[in-house]
């Protein structure tokens, strides 16, 4: 039986050739393309990684990855402090379904932090590469 495909929007250290991509996604995912979300988020940074919250007016630049197996998806959830169950109070980050104009048939999920961080710098471009 074939594993169902998972589509994940990655915007920080999971992007191609970054540290967590090397450990978790290289050889275990396929890059479909680089896109932007609707302008309804805010991206913060602590310097080392980005944090996205679901309020604001910024479009987030992301790489759309097709994850090839369930264990890789579990490892991503573990990295993000997510159970994989939306709105679970144990989640540090939640998964939120996002819309992609070019791939309206795909269920694409992005990790969003529940609480807006305090005292961190905002990345106004919504692109962690411009950090």
């Amino acid at each position: 039986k074939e594993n169902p495909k998972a589509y994940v929007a990655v915007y920080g250290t999971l992007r191609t050739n970054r540290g967590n991509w090397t450990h978790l996604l290289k050889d275990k995912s396929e890059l479909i393309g680089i896109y932007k979300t609707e302008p309804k988020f805010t991206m913060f940074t602590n310097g080392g990684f980005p944090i996205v919250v679901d309020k604001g007016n910024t479009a987030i630049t992301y790489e759309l990855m097709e994850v090839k197996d369930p264990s890789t998806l579990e490892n991503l959830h573990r990295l993000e402090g997510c159970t994989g169950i939306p709105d679970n109070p144990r989640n540090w980050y939640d998964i939120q379904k996002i819309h992609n104009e070019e791939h309206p048939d795909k269920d694409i999920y992005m990790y969003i932090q529940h609480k807006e961080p305090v005292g961190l710098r905002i990345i106004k471009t919504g692109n962690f590469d411009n950090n």
Side-chain angles (χ1 to χ4, degrees):
K1 182 181 165 197
E2 190 177 323
N3 287 325
K5 294 180 169 107
Y7 298 96
V8 180
V10 298
Y11 50 81
T13 63
L14 288 165
R15 286 179 72 172
T16 306
N17 295 321
R18 293 204 175 236
N20 284 322
W21 173 85
T22 302
H23 298 297
L24 296 171
L25 291 174
K26 185 180 180 182
D27 304 323
K28 296 174 185 156
S29 67
E30 181 181 331
L31 174 63
I32 295 175
I34 300 174
Y35 304 97
K36 287 185 177 242
T37 65
E38 297 172 70
K40 64 176 197 168
F41 300 97
T42 301
M43 179 182 277
F44 297 85
T45 184
N46 68 357
F49 60 89
I51 297 163
V52 171
V53 296
D54 187 14
K55 59 175 137 172
N57 56 9
T58 302
I60 304 301
T61 301
Y62 68 92
E63 291 182 357
L64 178 55
M65 295 288 187
E66 180 182 303
V67 177
K68 295 182 178 179
D69 65 88
S71 65
T72 299
L73 191 59
E74 287 172 20
N75 289 335
L76 293 178
H77 289 342
R78 197 171 297 117
L79 173 73
E80 301 292 356
C82 178
T83 62
I85 302 165
D87 300 320
N88 186 317
R90 290 179 41 221
N91 290 345
W92 182 257
Y93 278 75
D94 223 339
I95 50 174
Q96 179 175 317
K97 189 173 177 181
I98 62 170
H99 179 71
N100 181 304
E101 289 288 331
E102 292 184 46
H103 300 282
D105 57 321
K106 292 180 177 24
D107 288 338
I108 301 168
Y109 292 93
M110 189 166 87
Y111 293 100
I112 306 293
Q113 186 166 300
H114 289 295
K115 296 177 185 160
E116 188 169 328
V118 176
L120 296 185
R121 187 169 54 84
I122 293 175
I123 299 176
K124 292 183 172 83
T125 62
N127 187 343
F128 191 60
D129 285 349
N130 298 352
N131 182 9

